[in-house]
Amino acid sequence: RVPLPELIELDSDFGWLIGIFLAEGSLNNSKITFSFHAKEVDTLGQKTCDILFRRFGIWATKVVRNNRCDVKLYGANWCQLLNELCLNGSFKKRLHPLLASGNKEFLEGVLNGWQDGDGLGDPQRCGGVTVSHELAMNMYDIANAIGHRPTIETLQVKINPKHNIKRRRLRYIVAWPKNRKPQISERSDQDDTHVWRKVAKLETEQIAWQRRRLDYSRVSLVI
């Protein structure tokens, strides 16, 4: 059990660990577990172990059983740290505001780790899926800041009556086109805090308000 360092540099490696925990991690009071498919034991599982050792000198335990590979890290202080930074539970997870304002290298690492764990598997699009609304907005903001110009959409998965499941949580999909370098659109501009989109035209629609016997105009912005 390795103690917490006094200082953790926000680099791409640590960003990737945060991202993969947001996608595949869970914790209790004494143990952090990264859960992968057994086919990922030599890829995501090994990469997690390598970064933990390279960055913090931690020898993580890798357990392969049936179709599952678990990378386990023990230590109450590490559990408390990750719980503060990311929370626990798939629908509760989010990126701590202090991390969300990190440097570009770190944020790209977070986005890559999250995609490696919860990626879309879409040949045309990059991005990921989550049941946490706050985490979806975090990843949308990061992708936007990097210049990917992402979209965000929802998906309600249908319940199969053959399965003993009464309810499925709404899923949030953050995505952007694959094989396209981050770039600034001609129809928008970006600064450190906002993305400004140009207004193409204004449309005015007359709506009758019968109860008060009044007419008023509703203006719509077309972007």
Side-chain angles (χ1 to χ4, degrees), residues 5 25 29 36 57 60 69 94 111 124 135 164 167 170 179 223:
N29 291 332
F36 307 106
C69 169
R94 57 93 177 103
L111 196 62
Q124 303 298 325
L135 179 58
N164 188 24
R167 178 173 176 260
L170 186 68
N179 300 325
I223 297 179

Side-chain angles (χ1 to χ4, degrees), residues 178-189:
K178 190 173 286 188
N179 300 325
R180 188 181 73 182
K181 294 181 179 180
Q183 59 185 352
I184 301 300
S185 170
E186 295 179 356
R187 298 183 60 83
S188 64
D189 196 8

Side-chain angles (χ1 to χ4, degrees), residues 31-79:
K31 179 179 64 179
I32 300 167
T33 302
F34 300 85
S35 298
F36 307 106
H37 193 278
K39 294 180 181 179
E40 298 170 322
V41 62
D42 294 324
T43 54
L44 298 182
Q46 189 59 48
K47 183 173 181 178
T48 303
C49 292
D50 290 344
I51 292 178
L52 285 171
F53 181 74
R54 181 168 65 246
R55 289 287 279 105
F56 305 110
I58 296 174
W59 286 98
T61 303
K62 187 163 54 176
V63 179
V64 182
R65 187 177 293 119
N66 298 325
N67 291 325
R68 178 168 169 169
C69 169
D70 288 341
V71 175
K72 300 181 180 182
L73 162 63
Y74 294 88
N77 289 338
W78 287 98
C79 293

Side-chain angles (χ1 to χ4, degrees), residues 90-91 129-133 136 153-157 167-173:
S90 58
F91 65 95
V129 59
T130 178
V131 295
S132 168
H133 177 265
E153 57 193 82
T154 58
L155 173 65
Q156 184 64 66
V157 179
R167 178 173 176 260
R168 286 189 180 274
R169 292 186 177 275
L170 186 68
R171 298 184 181 186
Y172 301 91
I173 300 172

Side-chain angles (χ1 to χ4, degrees), residues 2 26 43 46 50 114 149 173 190 203:
V2 178
S26 61
T43 54
Q46 189 59 48
D50 290 344
W114 180 65
R149 294 298 186 266
I173 300 172
Q190 182 174 346
E203 293 182 348

Side-chain angles (χ1 to χ4, degrees), residues 145-161:
I146 293 173
H148 291 306
R149 294 298 186 266
T151 60
I152 186 167
E153 57 193 82
T154 58
L155 173 65
Q156 184 64 66
V157 179
K158 294 182 179 180
I159 298 176
N160 190 329

